[in-house]
Amino acid sequence: MQFGEPRPAIPEAIKRAVRQRYRFGCAACGLPVFDYDHIDKFSDVKVHEESNLILLCPNHHAAKTRGRLSDEMIRHYAKDPFNKERIFTSGYDIDKTQEIKIQIATNTLFWKPVSCDATCHVIWISGNDYFVLHRDDGWITFSILVTDIDGKILLSVNRGELQVATSAWDYEYVGSRLIIRDALRSLLVDLELSNDRVTLHAACFVSGGLGWKVADGWMHTIGAKGGMASIGGTAHIESTEAGMFGLTNDAVYRVYRRPSFCWHMSTTKLQPGYIWSENLDRLRQGDVYLVSLLQHWREQAHPRELSRDLEDVSRGFYFTNITTNEHWYGPAGSSCIIVHNISAFFGDIVRAFPDKNGFDIQAEAYVPAELVDKFRLSDFGKFVEPDKYASDRNIRLIIHAPKHGESDLHIKSNEIARLMERV
């Protein structure tokens, strides 16, 4: 290259490879807003190579350019980028605003709060907000959870703090346009995102198989009876607890405070079950651990002492939980597995106890009231509704094995392993 020639643009394939290598964030701090920079100066190498490029947020890029960040430290960040072992990138703060416009397919929302502290539920599924506007002390921020079709979170904005899942195939946020792909020409998320405007061109909001999909200029329902297409229109909402699009699973959620919506749909589809486990490989091999109810109460008690009556009624009982609506984040170090046949899973656990161990197995599964009759036909125990928990989302299998002792109960079942192979 001769002196004075313009620097050629970095090829898109190389930029994508660099984004993937640094897990979509600044190598130094993990922010999902970044520039491309050369580790060795371009004026020296005169070529764009993936191994010589690094992602830096505007602050760290400026520090490097102005000589406040050493070459040695840049090389350290290149070898050990901030987001390498993280599930989500660091959080990038989107500024607040006093006015906001929301565009979802052909539908437009203008929100005018009636109080200094108010919310607007733009997209709401069975009691959970997936897109909500907040007004705090006169300023508006927003929260968004964008998922894939299976409900896995790809993008999170929490009161204006943006984070991106590092497991995505590709992510870009150029200007106000934010795009997430799962393949070269396959868009999962396509948003225009700024402090005073959010436009959804492509996105999913799914919870337990139920939700919304924005695509091709239309608003589609997922997992609901019937369907709703975006017919176009403008909503001017001035109330405090209003919203735009809502879906409710009436089979699972019976007691909730439903905001008033421009559009609302209900479904009676049963949601699948979700299990959080620290070791999915062992679960897939049929290894199941049930928690000692007595030990559980001892850990919960303060100052870690139980009454004799509570000890007596909890001794010999063991339990495992399945939630009918996936948590956004499970216990530290755990992952989630979906169980579509909860009854079969519970049944296999109970049948895994051989008679030779001398267990006196009595199984009870606690489920929401509407599902009691459906599950009552099970051949391994009885199902009852949790006392005083009419809207309980957890299904809890309780096993009475008085001859086991007090430690957690470990069983292994080839039937469970075969069941997990199909999950």
Side-chain angles (χ1 to χ4, degrees):
M1 182 182 298
Q2 297 180 1
F3 180 77
E5 289 185 2
R7 177 185 297 188
I10 303 174
E12 289 301 318
I14 291 180
K15 291 168 69 174
R16 181 172 60 253
V18 174
R19 292 194 295 269
Q20 292 170 341
R21 179 153 58 96
Y22 290 99
R23 310 315 304 157
F24 316 119
C26 172
C29 67
L31 282 184
V33 176
F34 45 77
D35 302 320
Y36 303 86
D37 201 5
H38 293 81
I39 300 170
D40 292 327
K41 294 179 181 179
F42 181 82
S43 58
D44 294 334
V45 298
K46 296 182 174 56
V47 67
H48 298 304
E49 293 181 336
E50 175 194 338
S51 60
N52 191 43
L53 287 165
I54 191 171
L55 298 185
L56 295 175
C57 70
N59 287 339
H60 282 100
H61 194 179
K64 175 180 178 294
T65 301
R66 290 165 174 77
R68 296 192 292 265
L69 187 59
S70 67
D71 292 344
E72 180 183 3
M73 204 63 197
I74 289 294
R75 295 182 188 281
H76 167 74
Y77 292 141
K79 292 180 179 179
D80 190 22
F82 189 91
N83 287 337
K84 182 175 66 175
E85 303 295 336
R86 293 175 177 265
I87 299 175
F88 287 90
T89 66
S90 297
Y92 169 72
D93 289 329
I94 301 172
D95 289 330
K96 300 178 180 179
T97 184
Q98 290 190 332
E99 297 181 356
I100 193 165
K101 178 182 179 181
I102 307 298
Q103 186 83 30
I104 304 177
T106 59
N107 302 278
T108 305
L109 168 66
F110 295 94
W111 181 47
K112 184 177 181 180
V114 297
S115 65
C116 291
D117 300 313
T119 56
C120 179
H121 309 269
V122 183
I123 294 178
W124 184 88
I125 306 170
S126 296
N128 293 320
D129 280 307
Y130 277 72
F131 188 177
V132 58
L133 309 179
H134 315 274
R135 190 175 189 231
D136 301 314
D137 299 326
W139 293 94
I140 296 174
T141 59
F142 52 87
S143 298
I144 304 175
L145 282 173
V146 182
T147 73
D148 62 13
I149 197 69
D150 297 318
K152 179 183 177 182
I153 296 173
L154 300 173
L155 175 73
S156 169
V157 180
N158 183 13
R159 292 185 179 269
E161 184 183 57
L162 168 69
Q163 292 181 285
V164 179
T166 59
S167 60
W169 184 77
D170 192 21
Y171 154 83
E172 291 183 277
Y173 191 11
V174 180
S176 63
R177 199 66 175 259
L178 190 155
I179 291 176
I180 297 177
R181 295 180 175 90
D182 63 348
L184 188 58
R185 293 178 178 83
S186 178
L187 282 176
L188 291 179
V189 181
D190 185 358
L191 314 177
E192 293 179 54
L193 203 62
S194 60
N195 70 315
D196 64 348
R197 180 185 179 93
V198 181
T199 301
L200 275 61
H201 301 290
C204 277
F205 306 89
V206 179
S207 172
L210 183 68
W212 303 98
K213 180 178 181 180
V214 183
D216 303 320
W218 296 88
M219 187 79 171
H220 309 270
T221 59
I222 297 173
K225 289 184 176 180
M228 195 207 79
S230 172
I231 61 176
T234 301
H236 294 267
I237 297 178
E238 298 186 359
S239 62
T240 300
E241 288 291 335
M244 196 168 184
F245 294 103
L247 278 172
T248 303
N249 188 330
D250 291 333
V252 177
Y253 302 99
R254 300 167 305 286
V255 180
Y256 54 80
R257 182 181 179 184
R258 177 187 299 175
S260 58
F261 286 99
C262 301
W263 298 99
H264 184 276
M265 296 188 64
S266 296
T267 178
T268 56
K269 180 180 178 181
L270 175 63
Q271 294 178 337
Y274 297 80
I275 301 177
W276 287 99
S277 172
E278 295 181 2
N279 194 324
L280 289 185
D281 290 337
R282 296 189 66 170
L283 182 59
R284 290 184 186 278
Q285 294 170 10
D287 284 341
V288 179
Y289 284 85
L290 290 90
V291 178
S292 163
L293 187 60
L294 178 59
Q295 185 61 33
H296 173 73
W297 281 121
R298 284 176 174 169
E299 293 174 353
Q300 299 297 318
H302 183 77
R304 297 190 179 276
E305 291 183 357
L306 291 181
S307 68
R308 178 60 61 85
D309 290 342
L310 190 54
E311 282 198 14
D312 291 341
V313 298
S314 59
R315 191 181 309 277
F317 287 89
Y318 306 85
F319 71 90
T320 185
N321 281 338
I322 294 182
T323 174
T324 56
N325 189 14
E326 76 274 21
H327 299 160
W328 295 341
Y329 300 100
S334 66
S335 301
C336 186
I337 193 169
I338 301 175
V339 178
H340 294 285
N341 192 335
I342 300 172
S343 179
F345 179 76
F346 281 172
D348 288 336
I349 290 178
V350 174
R351 285 189 290 271
F353 291 95
D355 293 337
K356 64 181 181 181
N357 286 346
F359 288 116
D360 175 23
I361 300 300
Q362 302 171 26
E364 291 185 349
Y366 291 81
V367 300
E370 286 81 355
L371 306 182
V372 169
D373 290 338
K374 171 182 173 60
F375 281 85
R376 200 186 300 276
L377 300 176
S378 167
D379 59 356
F380 66 86
K382 62 179 180 178
F383 287 83
V384 296
E385 183 180 13
D387 295 336
K388 300 180 181 180
Y389 292 99
S391 59
D392 196 344
R393 303 174 189 176
N394 286 330
I395 299 176
R396 170 172 289 189
L397 173 69
I398 294 184
I399 289 179
H400 187 209
K403 297 181 182 180
H404 175 68
E406 296 182 3
S407 61
D408 292 348
L409 188 57
H410 171 226
I411 64 169
K412 184 174 177 61
S413 167
N414 292 331
E415 292 300 321
I416 295 176
R418 281 193 282 270
L419 181 66
M420 292 296 100
E421 288 177 357
R422 300 191 294 270
V423 174

